[in-house]
PDB file of all heavy atoms in Angstrom:
ATOM      1  N   SER A 363       4.611  11.246  18.547  1.00 77.00           N
ATOM      2  CA  SER A 363       4.036  12.514  18.110  1.00 77.00           C
ATOM      3  C   SER A 363       2.977  12.281  17.043  1.00 77.00           C
ATOM      4  O   SER A 363       3.071  11.353  16.244  1.00 77.00           O
ATOM      5  CB  SER A 363       5.137  13.428  17.545  1.00 77.00           C
ATOM      6  OG  SER A 363       6.082  13.750  18.534  1.00 77.00           O
ATOM      7  N   LYS A 364       1.977  13.135  17.043  1.00 85.00           N
ATOM      8  CA  LYS A 364       0.963  13.058  16.012  1.00 85.00           C
ATOM      9  C   LYS A 364       1.546  13.557  14.694  1.00 85.00           C
ATOM     10  O   LYS A 364       2.482  14.356  14.675  1.00 85.00           O
ATOM     11  CB  LYS A 364      -0.253  13.898  16.402  1.00 85.00           C
ATOM     12  CG  LYS A 364      -0.977  13.400  17.652  1.00 85.00           C
ATOM     13  CD  LYS A 364      -2.184  14.280  17.960  1.00 85.00           C
ATOM     14  CE  LYS A 364      -2.909  13.813  19.213  1.00 85.00           C
ATOM     15  NZ  LYS A 364      -4.091  14.672  19.516  1.00 85.00           N
ATOM     16  N   ALA A 365       0.976  13.095  13.605  1.00 88.00           N
ATOM     17  CA  ALA A 365       1.453  13.478  12.282  1.00 88.00           C
ATOM     18  C   ALA A 365       0.317  14.081  11.479  1.00 88.00           C
ATOM     19  O   ALA A 365      -0.865  13.797  11.725  1.00 88.00           O
ATOM     20  CB  ALA A 365       2.041  12.281  11.550  1.00 88.00           C
ATOM     21  N   LEU A 366       0.677  14.895  10.535  1.00 90.00           N
ATOM     22  CA  LEU A 366      -0.285  15.520   9.638  1.00 90.00           C
ATOM     23  C   LEU A 366       0.209  15.375   8.206  1.00 90.00           C
ATOM     24  O   LEU A 366       1.379  15.640   7.914  1.00 90.00           O
ATOM     25  CB  LEU A 366      -0.456  17.009   9.979  1.00 90.00           C
ATOM     26  CG  LEU A 366      -1.333  17.831   9.021  1.00 90.00           C
ATOM     27  CD1 LEU A 366      -2.800  17.469   9.199  1.00 90.00           C
ATOM     28  CD2 LEU A 366      -1.114  19.323   9.222  1.00 90.00           C
ATOM     29  N   VAL A 367      -0.668  14.924   7.338  1.00 89.00           N
ATOM     30  CA  VAL A 367      -0.374  14.860   5.909  1.00 89.00           C
ATOM     31  C   VAL A 367      -1.335  15.795   5.198  1.00 89.00           C
ATOM     32  O   VAL A 367      -2.558  15.692   5.372  1.00 89.00           O
ATOM     33  CB  VAL A 367      -0.516  13.425   5.354  1.00 89.00           C
ATOM     34  CG1 VAL A 367      -0.271  13.409   3.844  1.00 89.00           C
ATOM     35  CG2 VAL A 367       0.467  12.493   6.055  1.00 89.00           C
ATOM     36  N   VAL A 368      -0.790  16.711   4.419  1.00 91.00           N
ATOM     37  CA  VAL A 368      -1.608  17.644   3.638  1.00 91.00           C
ATOM     38  C   VAL A 368      -1.287  17.425   2.169  1.00 91.00           C
ATOM     39  O   VAL A 368      -0.146  17.581   1.744  1.00 91.00           O
ATOM     40  CB  VAL A 368      -1.325  19.112   4.026  1.00 91.00           C
ATOM     41  CG1 VAL A 368      -2.188  20.047   3.182  1.00 91.00           C
ATOM     42  CG2 VAL A 368      -1.574  19.335   5.506  1.00 91.00           C
ATOM     43  N   ARG A 369      -2.317  17.024   1.408  1.00 92.00           N
ATOM     44  CA  ARG A 369      -2.142  16.877  -0.039  1.00 92.00           C
ATOM     45  C   ARG A 369      -2.942  17.969  -0.733  1.00 92.00           C
ATOM     46  O   ARG A 369      -4.156  18.050  -0.611  1.00 92.00           O
ATOM     47  CB  ARG A 369      -2.615  15.508  -0.526  1.00 92.00           C
ATOM     48  CG  ARG A 369      -2.481  15.369  -2.044  1.00 92.00           C
ATOM     49  CD  ARG A 369      -2.940  14.050  -2.571  1.00 92.00           C
ATOM     50  NE  ARG A 369      -4.297  13.696  -2.253  1.00 92.00           N
ATOM     51  CZ  ARG A 369      -5.383  14.263  -2.770  1.00 92.00           C
ATOM     52  NH1 ARG A 369      -5.273  15.283  -3.611  1.00 92.00           N
ATOM     53  NH2 ARG A 369      -6.590  13.841  -2.428  1.00 92.00           N
ATOM     54  N   THR A 370      -2.230  18.815  -1.453  1.00 93.00           N
ATOM     55  CA  THR A 370      -2.832  19.938  -2.159  1.00 93.00           C
ATOM     56  C   THR A 370      -2.704  19.696  -3.656  1.00 93.00           C
ATOM     57  O   THR A 370      -1.591  19.524  -4.161  1.00 93.00           O
ATOM     58  CB  THR A 370      -2.143  21.259  -1.777  1.00 93.00           C
ATOM     59  OG1 THR A 370      -2.124  21.395  -0.354  1.00 93.00           O
ATOM     60  CG2 THR A 370      -2.857  22.441  -2.390  1.00 93.00           C
ATOM     61  N   THR A 371      -3.829  19.678  -4.361  1.00 94.00           N
ATOM     62  CA  THR A 371      -3.815  19.380  -5.794  1.00 94.00           C
ATOM     63  C   THR A 371      -4.614  20.431  -6.551  1.00 94.00           C
ATOM     64  O   THR A 371      -5.720  20.788  -6.143  1.00 94.00           O
ATOM     65  CB  THR A 371      -4.420  17.987  -6.075  1.00 94.00           C
ATOM     66  OG1 THR A 371      -3.747  17.012  -5.276  1.00 94.00           O
ATOM     67  CG2 THR A 371      -4.276  17.618  -7.543  1.00 94.00           C
ATOM     68  N   ARG A 372      -4.033  20.923  -7.642  1.00 95.00           N
ATOM     69  CA  ARG A 372      -4.705  21.867  -8.520  1.00 95.00           C
ATOM     70  C   ARG A 372      -4.639  21.339  -9.950  1.00 95.00           C
ATOM     71  O   ARG A 372      -3.575  20.921 -10.415  1.00 95.00           O
ATOM     72  CB  ARG A 372      -4.049  23.252  -8.455  1.00 95.00           C
ATOM     73  CG  ARG A 372      -4.135  23.907  -7.092  1.00 95.00           C
ATOM     74  CD  ARG A 372      -5.560  24.302  -6.751  1.00 95.00           C
ATOM     75  NE  ARG A 372      -5.651  24.953  -5.446  1.00 95.00           N
ATOM     76  CZ  ARG A 372      -5.858  24.327  -4.302  1.00 95.00           C
ATOM     77  NH1 ARG A 372      -5.995  23.003  -4.303  1.00 95.00           N
ATOM     78  NH2 ARG A 372      -5.946  24.985  -3.164  1.00 95.00           N
ATOM     79  N   LEU A 373      -5.777  21.378 -10.650  1.00 95.00           N
ATOM     80  CA  LEU A 373      -5.856  20.918 -12.028  1.00 95.00           C
ATOM     81  C   LEU A 373      -6.322  22.067 -12.906  1.00 95.00           C
ATOM     82  O   LEU A 373      -7.265  22.792 -12.542  1.00 95.00           O
ATOM     83  CB  LEU A 373      -6.820  19.733 -12.147  1.00 95.00           C
ATOM     84  CG  LEU A 373      -6.470  18.525 -11.257  1.00 95.00           C
ATOM     85  CD1 LEU A 373      -7.318  18.542  -9.988  1.00 95.00           C
ATOM     86  CD2 LEU A 373      -6.677  17.221 -11.991  1.00 95.00           C
ATOM     87  N   SER A 374      -5.670  22.240 -14.045  1.00 95.00           N
ATOM     88  CA  SER A 374      -5.954  23.400 -14.886  1.00 95.00           C
ATOM     89  C   SER A 374      -5.605  23.092 -16.332  1.00 95.00           C
ATOM     90  O   SER A 374      -5.136  21.997 -16.663  1.00 95.00           O
ATOM     91  CB  SER A 374      -5.153  24.616 -14.392  1.00 95.00           C
ATOM     92  OG  SER A 374      -3.758  24.330 -14.435  1.00 95.00           O
ATOM     93  N   GLU A 375      -5.826  24.096 -17.182  1.00 94.00           N
ATOM     94  CA  GLU A 375      -5.482  24.020 -18.615  1.00 94.00           C
ATOM     95  C   GLU A 375      -6.131  22.811 -19.290  1.00 94.00           C
ATOM     96  O   GLU A 375      -5.485  22.072 -20.026  1.00 94.00           O
ATOM     97  CB  GLU A 375      -3.952  23.981 -18.795  1.00 94.00           C
ATOM     98  CG  GLU A 375      -3.205  25.138 -18.159  1.00 94.00           C
ATOM     99  CD  GLU A 375      -3.624  26.490 -18.732  1.00 94.00           C
ATOM    100  OE1 GLU A 375      -3.949  26.540 -19.934  1.00 94.00           O
ATOM    101  OE2 GLU A 375      -3.638  27.468 -17.975  1.00 94.00           O
ATOM    102  N   TYR A 376      -7.425  22.631 -19.054  1.00 95.00           N
ATOM    103  CA  TYR A 376      -8.152  21.549 -19.727  1.00 95.00           C
ATOM    104  C   TYR A 376      -8.274  21.868 -21.219  1.00 95.00           C
ATOM    105  O   TYR A 376      -8.551  23.010 -21.603  1.00 95.00           O
ATOM    106  CB  TYR A 376      -9.540  21.374 -19.122  1.00 95.00           C
ATOM    107  CG  TYR A 376      -9.547  20.646 -17.805  1.00 95.00           C
ATOM    108  CD1 TYR A 376      -9.361  21.335 -16.601  1.00 95.00           C
ATOM    109  CD2 TYR A 376      -9.744  19.275 -17.742  1.00 95.00           C
ATOM    110  CE1 TYR A 376      -9.383  20.673 -15.375  1.00 95.00           C
ATOM    111  CE2 TYR A 376      -9.765  18.598 -16.518  1.00 95.00           C
ATOM    112  CZ  TYR A 376      -9.576  19.304 -15.352  1.00 95.00           C
ATOM    113  OH  TYR A 376      -9.595  18.659 -14.146  1.00 95.00           O
ATOM    114  N   ALA A 377      -8.068  20.857 -22.055  1.00 95.00           N
ATOM    115  CA  ALA A 377      -8.193  21.031 -23.497  1.00 95.00           C
ATOM    116  C   ALA A 377      -8.620  19.717 -24.130  1.00 95.00           C
ATOM    117  O   ALA A 377      -8.367  18.633 -23.574  1.00 95.00           O
ATOM    118  CB  ALA A 377      -6.883  21.517 -24.099  1.00 95.00           C
ATOM    119  N   PHE A 378      -9.250  19.811 -25.284  1.00 95.00           N
ATOM    120  CA  PHE A 378      -9.777  18.628 -25.967  1.00 95.00           C
ATOM    121  C   PHE A 378      -9.259  18.530 -27.408  1.00 95.00           C
ATOM    122  O   PHE A 378      -9.830  17.834 -28.233  1.00 95.00           O
ATOM    123  CB  PHE A 378     -11.305  18.664 -25.960  1.00 95.00           C
ATOM    124  CG  PHE A 378     -11.887  18.862 -24.585  1.00 95.00           C
ATOM    125  CD1 PHE A 378     -12.293  20.109 -24.164  1.00 95.00           C
ATOM    126  CD2 PHE A 378     -11.998  17.790 -23.709  1.00 95.00           C
ATOM    127  CE1 PHE A 378     -12.814  20.299 -22.888  1.00 95.00           C
ATOM    128  CE2 PHE A 378     -12.516  17.964 -22.440  1.00 95.00           C
ATOM    129  CZ  PHE A 378     -12.931  19.226 -22.016  1.00 95.00           C
TER     130      PHE A 378
END
Side-chain angles (χ1 to χ4, degrees):
S363 297
K364 296 181 181 180
L366 174 72
V367 177
V368 180
R369 178 180 57 71
T370 307
T371 306
R372 297 291 181 270
L373 303 99
S374 59
E375 304 299 327
Y376 283 87
F378 308 98

